[in-house]
Amino acid sequence: MQILAVAAEIYPLIKTGGLADVTGSLPKALKQFGVHTRTLVPGYPEVLAALEGSSVLRHYGNVFGVEGRLLGGRARGLDIIVFDAPELFVRSGGPYGPCGTLGYEDNWKRFAAFSWVASDIAERGLAGWYPSLVHAHDWHSALALAYLKYCGNGDIPRILTLHNLSFQGQFPARHFAELGLPDECYGADCLEYYGDISYLKAGLTSADTITVVSPTYAREIMSPTQGMGLEGVINARRDDVVGIVNGIDTDIWDPSCDPHIEHHYSARVPLRRLANRATLLKSLGLPQTRGLVFASVNRLTWQKGMDLLAGLVDEIADLGGKLIVHGQGDHAIEQLFLRAADRHPRHVAVVIGYDEALAHRIHAGADAMLVPSRFEPCGLTQLYALRYGCVPIVSRTGGLAETVIDANDAAVHARAATGIQFAPIDAGGLRHALHRAFKLHRRHRGWEKLCRQAMKADCSWARSASQYIEVYGNALSQGGLLRESA
Ligand code: ADP
Ligand code: GLC
């Protein structure tokens, strides 16, 4: 089986969040089952710089008015195809916009061109390589499935993975005419979305199968509260929706040999992580006291419930706990945490920014990881926390609800508990969870058991990769013949 994955980010080349972690690690997991993935990515400067031994595989004189070419090669262990179109992708800002949440004005064109190129590779193959199916991720590549359905010969299976419904690729309807899709696509059954056009909707209506990054989120988005206006479309496709929880790369996230941390440890000797705790507190200028050390490595946004956490910082400090926050996002939320750090210099450390190495050190040193998301399609932070014995405290939603087993009495006695879950998802719910954590932490043996049990949770790709293979297999058997690579 040959997969053409299409993604706007891929770890370790370019990452803004969990999407990159998934597109970077799933191919490796699939390979163990004999499935080969090549991932089409935009030619961002970081991607071009990482390419090794690349060759030019195709030239495009004019894609949406710009010149481009396809480069094939390897980069940091990944098999990638790069759509090198400097006018679209070589910019001084981030992959989607100049800064913060602001998008580039021509994003409609950048990702339409990217998606069109994906459909071209799927249709014509590339230098003798013919993918058996196309697997697009999120709105940035969703349009590829519409190009295949409406402009191609329609025989290649189309899979869409939905990572987060709050990013939909919505643009003014005037751009429709420039997309090169037949007129019938500008309708409620394809691209049209409340008078605009939505690339994600085009993907949802054109995919043969839609996978969602957890079964719970797959259910949640069928309701108006979580469907973000697309619940009707998703409900109409409900027979083709499959929830598959994300895995993590257990080689990159491995406390027994992680190059970012000083003291290595495993589930058999989790107490060794106390040395990392000491190093972490020292590096952040916090005193070495015994109180519970909470952390949050997260986008500082409403989705992640970080405003709820900001409102409870004083209480954490008053109860003798510490809080380490590392992230970036909404300016107002950043300011709330920075002001809290000023009020409580001995209890709170805030590092605004994005630092992969620091993220690893926090997982290895903090006692508990707070993930109070209002909604969370899957979430990877809690999976890394489990792996590192940093007890996850999560809201009961989406993938968080599925991957963390709450430390209620029954689960603790059955030695199954791996963290704390809370609901309702509001300040009261989070406060209650924090108090439960303080109580459990006071019983040292109990906390140690929880930490040990967390580390035993299987967060690897093994199970989920085989579910993707099943989805691929079904799509191929329904969609016709498997196209062999020449
Ligand atoms: P989302 O993709 O919605 O942001 P996930 O939990 O799926 O949420 O993935 C977030 C990813 O980004 C994880 O790999 C996490 O470690 C990483 N991350 C988040 N904030 C930071 C940060 N400030 N520094 C480094 N890594 C971060
Ligand atoms: C999105 C979601 C997150 C998920 C990630 C990878 O960014 O917000 O919950 O883990 O994609 O699938």
Side-chain angles (χ1 to χ4, degrees), residues 403-470:
T403 52
V404 175
I405 302 174
D406 181 63
N408 56 49
D409 278 352
V412 168
H413 284 299
R415 292 175 188 267
T418 58
I420 293 174
Q421 278 192 10
F422 70 89
I425 308 174
D426 56 19
L430 178 55
R431 176 182 291 117
H432 184 60
L434 293 171
H435 282 268
R436 285 182 66 202
F438 277 114
K439 198 168 155 199
L440 274 163
H441 192 250
R442 278 196 292 273
R443 300 203 302 255
H444 281 291
R445 300 281 305 158
W447 190 265
E448 196 191 311
K449 266 193 224 155
L450 199 54
C451 163
R452 225 182 262 275
Q453 203 55 44
M455 292 187 76
K456 288 187 191 153
D458 179 9
C459 302
S460 78
W461 269 111
R463 226 166 347 130
S464 302
S466 61
Q467 288 174 293
Y468 272 109
I469 289 169
E470 199 179 322

Side-chain angles (χ1 to χ4, degrees), residues 119-142:
S119 71
D120 184 53
I121 299 171
E123 281 287 322
R124 292 202 281 149
L126 189 63
W129 180 73
Y130 296 94
S132 333
L133 58 82
V134 177
H135 184 169
H137 293 267
D138 272 356
W139 73 266
H140 326 98
S141 53

Side-chain angles (χ1 to χ4, degrees), residues 281-316:
L281 293 178
K282 189 167 170 218
S283 71
L284 295 170
L286 293 172
Q288 309 279 340
T289 47
R290 292 177 66 184
L292 192 42
V293 178
F294 297 100
S296 183
V297 176
N298 226 333
R299 287 190 279 125
L300 304 184
T301 62
W302 183 88
Q303 179 204 331
K304 300 290 179 178
M306 295 307 281
D307 52 320
L308 299 177
L309 177 58
L312 290 168
V313 180
D314 294 342
E315 200 160 329
I316 291 176

Side-chain angles (χ1 to χ4, degrees), residues 40-117:
L40 175 71
V41 285
Y44 305 121
E46 299 86 339
V47 172
L48 295 169
L51 256 183
E52 298 152 15
S54 67
S55 49
V56 179
L57 303 178
R58 182 167 294 160
H59 276 282
Y60 294 107
N62 180 351
V63 191
F64 289 78
V66 307
E67 257 187 74
R69 57 187 190 159
L70 293 178
L71 308 174
R74 295 193 69 79
R76 314 276 297 268
L78 300 160
D79 189 348
I80 57 172
I81 303 168
V82 180
F83 176 35
D84 178 27
E87 213 178 309
L88 299 178
F89 299 115
V90 177
R91 308 242 161 129
S92 54
Y96 309 120
C99 58
T101 49
L102 200 66
Y104 293 116
E105 263 190 27
D106 60 349
N107 271 351
W108 71 271
K109 189 206 292 190
R110 299 169 79 225
F111 293 103
F114 177 59
S115 298
W116 181 84
V117 163

